[in-house]
Amino acid sequence: MLMEYVPGGELFSYLRNMGRFNNSTGLFYSAEIICAIEYLHSKEIVYRDLKPENILLDREGHIKLTDFGFAKKLSDRYHTWTLCGTPEYLAPEVIQSKGHGRAVDWWALGILIFEMLSGFPPFFDDNPFGIYQKILAGKIDFPRHLDLYVKDLIKKLLVVDRTRRLGNMKNGAEDVKRHRWFRSIDWDAVPQRKLKPPVIPKVSHEGDTSNFEAYPEDDWNKAPPVPPKDLEMFKNF
C-alpha cells in the first residue's frame, strides 16, 4: 500500500521539544484536528486513536492524521465494544465496556488540548489501572497558566456522560466550533489550509526523514494491553 509521505514528523516530537504549546499554537492545531474529526464523522467513521504521536505535520506545517488501525465505520444507531486506544486517552465508556461511538473522539480531543497546552495529559499514572481510575473519577487539575476559555472547553469535552459531551450533542462539531476559545478562528479558512501554521518543519529534500526519530522495531510506543476480563471492576465505577 503506497501512501503519501508526510515529511514534517510527529506533533509529539515538537511538543516534547517545546515542553508545551502556547495558546495560539494549541488553537491552530485544535482547529485543524476538529475539521478532520468532523469530516471522519460525516463519513460515519470513528477514529479512536487521537494522540500527538498520530498527528503528522506536512512540509508546510499543516496536520494530517495517521494510523487508522483502530478506526471503524459506525453509524449513529450502533456502538462498538472493542477495548482499544491509548490508556491516557480512553473515554470512560470504553473503560466501562458500555459500548461506544463517535463521542470518544471528542473526549480524546479534550485530553489532547490539555496535553498540548500543559505538556502532560490530565489523567496519568504509572500503570493503566491507575489511569483508568482517575479517568472515571474525572477530577482535573488545571495548570494556572491555562486560558479561562480553554479550561471551560476542556471541561465540556471531558464530560463522563457522553449525552452531555460537547461535540456529541444535537449540533455535533458546530457546538465545539462555536465555543468562545475559537472566537478568532475563521472556520471556512481552516479546511482550505489558509491559517498560518505556527511551526514550519525543516525539510531539505523530498525524502528527508530527519524530522522522524529512529525507533527499534519492537518498540510500539504503547502501554501493555489490559485483558478485558480485568476491566470488569470498572463497569459499575
Side-chain angles (χ1 to χ4, degrees):
M1 186 181 292
L2 187 63
M3 303 175 71
E4 172 192 8
Y5 178 53
V6 187
E10 300 173 358
L11 187 67
F12 173 79
S13 299
Y14 296 94
L15 180 57
R16 184 174 60 186
N17 290 337
M18 295 181 187
R20 66 176 189 244
F21 294 148
N22 61 32
N23 196 67
S24 61
T25 300
L27 193 62
F28 171 86
Y29 292 129
S30 298
E32 292 206 333
I33 290 163
I34 286 166
C35 287
I37 292 173
E38 181 180 30
Y39 177 76
L40 288 175
H41 289 184
S42 75
K43 299 298 180 182
E44 299 187 339
I45 295 171
V46 56
Y47 179 52
R48 300 200 293 181
D49 205 14
L50 188 64
K51 58 181 178 179
E53 294 90 330
N54 285 345
I55 301 166
L56 303 180
L57 299 191
D58 66 17
R59 65 185 307 151
E60 295 176 359
H62 294 282
I63 68 105
K64 288 182 180 287
L65 293 187
T66 189
D67 193 351
F68 280 67
F70 290 148
K72 188 169 184 176
K73 191 171 176 66
L74 203 66
S75 69
D76 278 333
R77 295 169 295 176
Y78 298 97
H79 290 93
T80 185
W81 282 264
T82 308
L83 175 69
C84 62
T86 302
E88 289 87 353
Y89 278 73
L90 290 183
E93 59 266 30
V94 178
I95 296 168
Q96 294 175 312
S97 299
K98 289 183 174 180
H100 61 273
R102 299 176 211 175
V104 300
D105 288 340
W106 297 116
W107 173 278
L109 176 66
I111 301 289
L112 179 66
I113 293 173
F114 185 103
E115 183 169 0
M116 286 195 296
L117 298 178
S118 305
F120 53 87
F123 311 112
F124 62 92
D125 197 86
D126 292 335
N127 66 77
F129 280 114
I131 294 170
Y132 300 149
Q133 287 176 324
K134 289 178 180 179
I135 289 171
L136 295 174
K139 185 177 182 297
I140 307 171
D141 292 322
F142 289 101
R144 290 183 179 180
H145 71 271
L146 287 194
D147 177 271
L148 183 66
Y149 290 129
V150 81
K151 288 181 184 179
D152 182 72
L153 173 63
I154 292 169
K155 286 177 183 176
K156 288 177 177 175
L157 290 167
L158 300 184
V159 172
V160 173
D161 181 356
R162 58 190 166 189
T163 65
R164 295 173 50 246
R165 191 175 301 158
L166 203 67
N168 194 49
M169 294 184 286
K170 183 180 178 181
N171 297 317
E174 285 301 315
D175 285 335
V176 183
K177 291 178 174 182
R178 291 173 187 162
H179 190 276
R180 286 282 292 168
W181 192 51
F182 295 110
R183 63 194 181 279
S184 63
I185 296 293
D186 177 356
W187 286 105
D188 291 331
V190 179
Q192 296 177 43
R193 298 162 56 91
K194 289 184 177 179
L195 298 190
K196 184 180 178 181
V199 175
I200 308 296
K202 295 178 181 177
V203 180
S204 60
H205 59 275
E206 199 66 31
D208 189 354
T209 62
S210 62
N211 290 307
F212 289 93
E213 296 188 25
Y215 294 105
E217 288 187 10
D218 59 348
D219 181 6
W220 294 96
N221 199 29
K222 301 262 188 181
V226 179
K229 64 181 177 63
D230 291 342
L231 289 172
E232 290 292 317
M233 68 176 72
F234 292 113
K235 282 190 175 181
N236 297 315
F237 194 92

